[in-house]
Amino acid sequence: MSDEQSNTDYKALTDEEWKQRLPEEVYQIVRKKGTERAFTGHFDKFYESGSYYCVCCGAHLFDSDTKYNSGSGWPSFYDGDDANIKEVEDNSWMMRRVEIVCNQCEAHLGHVFPDGPQPTGTRYCVNSASLDFKPEGE
């Protein structure tokens, strides 16, 4: 995390400030709770070793050793960084789901489901647009 990132109160940024910081497609997903089309995200079939961070604030979210191919069309992980991922009830679209957001900046990441592999049985279904990847060793 850069010095600028560590000194920013992300929860205090206005909608206009987010619009200036993010590309339009990313803004629509992470700030307006959008969803990228299945099988179109950069990290869907991406399996390099490293860590995934919030594209908005740089908070650590997932490690590559917990990523797997769920067949859903979105990057999926069976475990995440509990300190930086918050679960929120989501009753939109006449469905009952659990949304996941970044705990540091409240960026929409995706949803979590109880149908993942062991050892957790959890599937974090994440929009590629909400993620930044850093290869192992960086």
Side-chain angles (χ1 to χ4, degrees):
M1 189 177 292
S2 71
D3 287 340
E4 179 187 338
Q5 285 178 315
S6 62
N7 292 327
T8 302
D9 180 2
Y10 291 99
K11 292 180 181 176
L13 292 177
T14 67
D15 200 45
E16 282 304 313
E17 289 171 312
W18 282 117
K19 279 183 179 180
Q20 292 172 9
R21 287 174 174 251
L22 301 169
E24 178 63 22
E25 180 181 309
V26 173
Y27 168 80
Q28 288 299 325
I29 291 169
V30 297
R31 304 317 308 177
K32 294 299 181 184
K33 301 183 187 297
T35 302
E36 61 201 12
R37 286 190 341 268
F39 305 103
T40 64
H42 177 72
F43 295 119
D44 177 36
K45 300 264 193 276
F46 182 89
Y47 294 100
E48 289 185 26
S49 294
S51 296
Y52 295 85
Y53 298 85
C54 177
V55 73
C56 292
C57 71
H60 175 262
L61 301 171
F62 304 99
D63 290 317
S64 61
D65 60 352
T66 67
K67 189 172 188 299
Y68 71 101
N69 183 0
S70 68
S72 67
W74 289 277
S76 297
F77 303 84
Y78 65 78
D79 201 7
D81 189 329
D82 290 339
N84 292 326
I85 298 172
K86 179 170 64 172
E87 296 184 6
V88 180
E89 187 176 329
D90 176 3
N91 295 314
S92 64
W93 301 97
M94 298 180 66
M95 291 186 276
R96 291 187 86 174
R97 299 181 293 177
V98 178
E99 177 189 12
I100 50 174
V101 299
C102 175
N103 199 38
Q104 306 305 313
C105 69
E106 299 179 336
H108 170 71
L109 305 173
H111 290 85
V112 63
F113 302 95
D115 61 2
Q118 293 305 315
T120 64
T122 300
R123 174 173 55 104
Y124 291 91
C125 186
V126 184
N127 289 292
S128 289
S130 69
L131 300 172
D132 186 23
F133 177 79
K134 299 218 181 346
E136 195 171 300
E138 278 190 25

